[in-house]
Amino acid sequence: MLVDQYHIVTCAHVVDLQSGRTGPVASRREAPAALARVEFPFGLHRGAFHARTVLWLPVQDNGDGDIAVLRLEHPRRGIEAAPLAFPNGMRGHRFSAHGFPEGERIAREATGILRGASGEFGNWVQLDADGMTGWAIGPGFSGAPVYDHEAEAVIGIVALRDGHRSGHLLPNRYLSEHWPRLLACDGSLAEPTSTELRADSEPNRLEFGSSPPVLESERTPSHNLTAWSDYWNPAGAGSGFVGRVEDMAALEEDLTGSSAVVQVCSIGGFGGIGKTALATAFGENHSADFDGRVFFDFQSYSLNAQPISAVQALRRILPVVLNQDPKRIAMYSAEELLTLWHSATANRRILMIWDNVSSSDQIEPLILRGRGCATIYTTRQALLLEGGSKTIRLDVLKTEDAEALFLQVAGSDHDRSRVKELVLRDLCVPVLINSHAQGVVSGKWSLADIVSDLPPVSESRRKHAARLQASLFERLFASYRRLDPLQRVAFRIFGSYPGRALSIGTLAGVLKCAVEDAEELILQLVDAGLAQREDDRTTRTPRHLRTYFAHDLIRAFGANQALQECWIHGRARDDRALVWSGLREYYSHRLASYQSSDYDWFFLEAEAIREVALGEEDIATAEFANLAAARFFASGRANVSRELFGHAAKIFWNAEDDFNYAAALRATWESPHVGGEEYARRVGRRFMNVKSATLAATGFDPDIWIRGDIFLLKFKPDEAEDAFRTALEACELMDDAEGSIAARLGLADSETVEASRRLTYKFNDDFAGPLSLLFAAERLYRGALRSARIINDKAGEAAALAGLGNTAIYITTGGVLWPILERARGIEMSQSSGDLVEWPNLYHERALERPIGGNADTALDLKSAKRHFEDALKLFRARRDYVGIADIYIGIGNMAIAQNSPDLEEAEKAYSTALATFEELGDGFGVARSSLGLGDVEFLKAHHADSHLRRYIRHYAKAIRDFDELHLGEWSARVRRFLAATLRPLDG
């Protein structure tokens, strides 16, 4: 189905068969590497054209999926793309489809009636062919566009037949869920815009149960998706604005004047100066000059939450401007969201006001510089944008404008001299004037009382120059001091809350009071000028979901008070800690009892829940993060889910809670769009090579893989062996060949770690024990290697080769320990370490006893280690497994040191390469091991200069610190012991 000038939507199994691959497509997890050949039998173009796969969703075991999107290398002109429709109902409609039945060289037409939904998940639509004559849906029709005669458009593609003259349709609505760009295709063949990005070189792959795939990285052509709806909800839009005639004129000239060339303007100044009021007043005054408007607050200056990103902003904006369900928008990736944004705004004159921006990254992807578009952003700092922007910097109001602002809010029936005195004492700052005017409006405080509470003008001017924020806070205290104790508590909760707007229900949950009582408290804050009702454009908002907000300066004042006061007598913690603890308890209760009717609540509180889940580093926060992550995952917010599971895993690791760490880490990997190498780093990497359902189907603990690797890291080889034997039993029960290979590799690693542990801690032990363990590891690695090559398991093959290389070094030299200690022995090594030099003699004695003969093809020595490392490196590079690549470089470094005449230059180069890679990956364990290697190099150079010995100590000390930070006490203890053994003969 050709949907635009470049793209074709078809079935994955069609592409698979065309490439020559046979067998069940359900087992295919990657798109064919070769370009697909495409022909257009009804067009003027003859011959085949090449196309690459840009989206790949293979057939699943339940028959679902089977989607491929191809991109032609060159656009096809003169061919009409399919007119598309997305009907909600199609039962009983007539359809027709053209295909190439078996044995036919020309296209044949199948016609019939569309029936109801089919398939396990109701994603298909049944196609019934006419009578017993004519062509039925059969082989050769897969991927063909299905034309609905009532809709007069193509409604999807043929997916499969069922053997009874019937078939099944994958409707456009289902296809667009996995490739949202389809929504922007209207059947035209317009040229791509000049701003199209270069397409990705690799296809996107999606497995079922995950969210929609990342689009190829090119901008959607300019087709409008739906009628536009403004995202325009600034607080008091256009109200509370007076004066600033010159500033408004500058905006109008730059953005709407006949000679306007500037499309982006920034409004700068400190918080509360009136930046937002000027921007929104412009938007209200000139709404007729634009086809649409967007106002969004990035909340960059909140003390309790992280600034909002461009992607997070789009998750809130797009449901409104596109009139789409927020649940659906929440499932899209960052690239898809940006694609939809630029599609929705194409060929429209859009006014964008981005409020409280602190970084150009927040708005650069969103800025539209098309004809008639305009962008205003408010900020407190200078930002550099690509393409430039005009800056307007605001100062405080003129005195007469400040008076006019007060009278606009509080009414004109006031003593003008007192009004002037108030605005002067308020420094002519709009946010202060508004707050105090609202207090007067409430009737609870008089203008004279408020004026008397404010510092005199002369003092305020002096303080204003010296310390601006303290001066502003001092004036807000005039309103705060008049609150009763419980109202002050509510205000401090309001200031400490991490979201933009606090709901009545959340305030009630933290205070453990009735919703009615919480509403009364928040209304008191409104009367005091410290809060405002958020206009959510609905009139039937349930009471517990009604939200209130305040200027970020007022919120910052509340947060500051929370840090200084405590609302529970006798408690040492500040209010903010108590508020977040209360929020965690309240959110935990709501999430644990979550029902589908709670979606509006969750959507409202989602960002605050995320902030609370990331806010602390204790076990209670980790448990809450797990709970919250599960809800985000169920709601389609895979990126947040992964982030929270990862935060929980980090806390559990630091607390040495291996059981919960493994569970959280596995949940992190099972979130959509997560690759094993990206998040596994070190622990549980083999888990990614195993069928996900294997352990669950057999009743075994699925975290057993991860805990096995944790035990290896912590030098607990016996526990690791038990874990991997359990995993092996499960995999063999389920005929999971890849899983069995991974388990055997884990057992081999366990033997190697146990041998290393004995060599490190039992220098006087009989060497027969460690050597036997290494021979056992060799057998396991070789068995895993044979099995991996039989089933083409490249990950298992690479790991087995790396294991053989490392084992070869240990078997032939006793590990890198032996040459290092031999060097130390030449400087008068202590007896406790010197015993290890007997290893080479023992190795030669035992070599004849090995189960594998000593011929050149099978013997493990340094030559074979090099060969294994080279082969493993090729495989790791092909898989882009950078952790594996860096591990190999450590092995190469060890091999260079282990030679009779150590090649220190080669070793240093290899360790340095590994160190740089691990640092880029953020793999602390790899960094520490690379540092050890560099330390070994410096130790072997120590007889040349004392500086090498100092570098040796420095590298080892860094490794010890890194291991301690990772809570790997066994590793740091091992390094300390070795450091002491080598330095002792040197007398300090």
Side-chain angles (χ1 to χ4, degrees), residues 117-402:
S118 60
E120 183 174 335
F121 299 104
N123 292 326
W124 306 333
V125 175
Q126 186 171 330
L127 305 170
D128 282 353
D130 288 331
M132 296 299 294
T133 61
W135 293 97
I137 299 297
F141 280 83
S142 295
V146 177
Y147 185 80
D148 183 328
H149 291 268
E150 278 76 1
E152 297 184 342
V154 171
I155 57 172
I157 61 174
V158 176
L160 74 165
R161 64 186 181 95
D162 62 12
H164 300 286
R165 297 186 58 78
S166 297
H168 298 276
L169 159 78
L170 287 180
N172 288 338
R173 192 170 300 279
Y174 171 72
L175 296 173
S176 68
E177 291 178 2
H178 298 288
W179 195 56
R181 181 182 178 133
L182 192 65
L183 293 168
C185 299
D186 62 358
S188 72
L189 291 175
E191 289 283 356
T193 65
S194 62
T195 57
E196 272 196 319
L197 304 179
R198 181 173 298 173
D200 289 340
S201 60
E202 295 188 0
N204 296 288
R205 178 177 62 84
L206 182 68
E207 297 185 14
F208 252 80
S210 65
S211 59
V214 177
L215 288 175
E216 53 179 312
S217 60
E218 62 181 42
R219 189 164 296 166
T220 302
S222 300
H223 303 303
N224 295 329
L225 301 180
T226 70
W228 177 275
S229 295
D230 283 354
Y231 188 92
W232 188 259
N233 189 29
S239 65
F241 176 76
V242 296
R244 302 205 184 278
V245 176
E246 296 85 356
D247 297 322
M248 180 63 77
L251 276 179
E252 292 172 341
E253 178 63 24
D254 291 334
L255 299 178
T256 64
S258 58
S259 61
V261 293
V262 176
Q263 295 173 304
V264 181
C265 280
S266 69
I267 303 177
F270 64 80
I273 198 67
K275 302 182 296 293
T276 305
L278 173 62
T280 55
F282 174 88
E284 292 297 321
N285 295 343
H286 294 276
S287 60
D289 296 330
F290 300 95
D291 300 324
R293 298 178 301 168
V294 172
F295 174 92
F296 188 82
D297 183 359
F298 281 89
Q299 304 175 39
S300 298
Y301 304 106
S302 170
L303 297 181
N304 302 310
Q306 294 296 316
I308 295 173
S309 67
V311 171
Q312 291 170 325
L314 288 179
R315 293 191 192 282
R316 302 183 192 182
I317 294 170
L318 288 174
V320 175
V321 301
L322 295 179
N323 295 303
Q324 291 198 21
D325 186 351
K327 298 178 184 177
R328 180 176 184 178
I329 296 298
M331 296 179 67
Y332 291 156
S333 69
E335 288 81 359
E336 292 165 339
L337 292 171
L338 289 169
T339 296
L340 292 176
W341 166 249
H342 287 285
S343 296
T345 55
N347 298 328
R348 285 193 170 105
R349 298 172 302 165
I350 304 298
L351 170 65
M352 294 151 288
I353 297 180
W354 309 121
D355 200 24
N356 291 313
V357 177
S358 63
S359 168
S360 59
D361 292 339
Q362 292 173 295
I363 59 173
E364 283 276 22
L366 309 178
I367 289 179
L368 309 173
R369 295 185 183 269
R371 184 181 300 275
C373 293
T375 298
I376 302 173
Y377 66 93
T378 70
T379 184
R380 299 181 190 177
Q381 56 226 85
L383 302 181
L384 293 177
L385 296 182
E386 185 177 350
S389 63
K390 174 75 174 293
T391 299
I392 298 174
R393 187 153 191 88
L394 301 186
D395 198 354
V396 298
L397 291 172
K398 297 177 181 178
T399 303
E400 57 271 24
D401 291 337

Side-chain angles (χ1 to χ4, degrees), residues 441-482:
V441 170
S442 71
K444 297 183 178 181
W445 300 282
S446 69
L447 175 57
D449 289 339
I450 293 178
V451 170
S452 66
D453 287 336
L454 296 173
V457 177
S458 59
E459 181 184 354
S460 66
R461 289 298 185 189
R462 179 177 59 79
K463 289 187 176 181
H464 174 58
R467 46 191 185 95
L468 175 62
Q469 180 168 289
S471 296
L472 299 179
F473 282 6
E474 191 174 8
R475 280 145 185 80
L476 288 172
F477 193 79
S479 300
Y480 177 75
R481 66 186 296 180
R482 296 184 179 279

Side-chain angles (χ1 to χ4, degrees), residues 664-677:
L665 196 63
R666 178 172 56 85
T668 303
W669 297 333
E670 291 179 345
S671 298
H673 300 310
V674 179
E677 286 75 26

